[in-house]
Amino acid sequence: CAFAEFALPPELRERHAAGMKRFQTTGETRIQGRRIELTGMRRDGSRFPLELVVGRVGESQPAIFAGYIRDITERHAAEALLKSERETYRNLVNSVDGVVWELDVASMRFTFVSPQAERLFGYPVSRWMDEPDFWASHIHLEDRDRSVAYCQERTQALADHSFEYRFLTADDRVVWVRDLVTVVAKDGQAEKLQGVMVDVTPLKMAEGVLRGANEELEIRVASRTKALSDANRSLQDEIKKREALE
């Protein structure tokens, strides 16, 4: 057929001709009602993607089929761009040294949790996604009520927020987390939360060491101040005694 000679590359023409012959003989087509992609060839020899759709018209005998072919170059370009953007986003998320997450407020379920969650906390991502109370139930008991209440209050106020709490890992460690939360609203209601959980345990440990050092320094200063005050008082008493003797 003229279409095969003009629009299809040479390597596809034989298969197309066989399909057309079968259709003309039996009325059967393997692509009935389907969308299939082909490679077309322009007059200048350049290749481009085509979409072919064939369907039967009515129930008449012999069977009548109708179809169309369209150039889908722009769709392929858009799909390639979308794929590239998704890959860029995935690489960006995976480069963050923390857990990137998204949560649906209505169901209180995570809709996205980055792979770093398993590296930092030891739990598979599926548990975060499947268990509605997973996050709250793994916050350290001493921090749980405060953290949940604060997050709920800020969410209802449509206010972005950050807070720190201790999180229990799969191997029974305690990790200090700083959670940076963005509230996404629709029609004046919180629709979803997006955020990043960052492990700040080393910072907390450093703060503890610094706090201990400051406390020790304060004790030493107080002790030396008292010793100096006592020595000064003793000296003043000695001076008074000498003056009395004179």
Side-chain angles (χ1 to χ4, degrees), residues 36-55:
I36 66 170
E37 293 188 7
L38 302 171
T39 299
M41 185 172 68
R42 299 185 179 90
R43 291 183 181 275
D44 62 5
S46 60
R47 310 288 179 101
F48 66 102
L50 288 172
E51 182 179 72
L52 171 62
V53 178
V54 176

Side-chain angles (χ1 to χ4, degrees), residues 173-244:
R173 291 180 297 111
V174 175
V175 174
W176 271 100
V177 172
R178 176 174 296 158
D179 217 340
L180 311 172
V181 184
T182 298
V183 180
V184 180
K186 183 177 181 180
D187 299 327
Q189 297 291 326
E191 181 179 41
K192 56 186 176 181
L193 303 180
Q194 298 173 333
V196 181
M197 298 177 187
V198 181
D199 180 359
V200 293
T201 305
L203 178 61
K204 285 293 183 179
M205 292 177 63
E207 289 178 351
V209 171
L210 181 60
R211 188 181 305 111
N214 286 337
E215 290 174 354
E216 183 179 354
L217 179 60
E218 290 176 359
I219 292 173
R220 288 183 178 181
V221 169
S223 176
R224 291 180 180 179
T225 300
K226 184 177 183 302
L228 181 60
S229 178
D230 290 344
N232 186 58
R233 188 179 300 107
S234 297
L235 179 60
Q236 293 297 325
D237 290 343
E238 184 64 26
I239 292 174
K240 289 180 180 180
K241 288 179 181 180
R242 291 182 180 182
E243 290 177 346

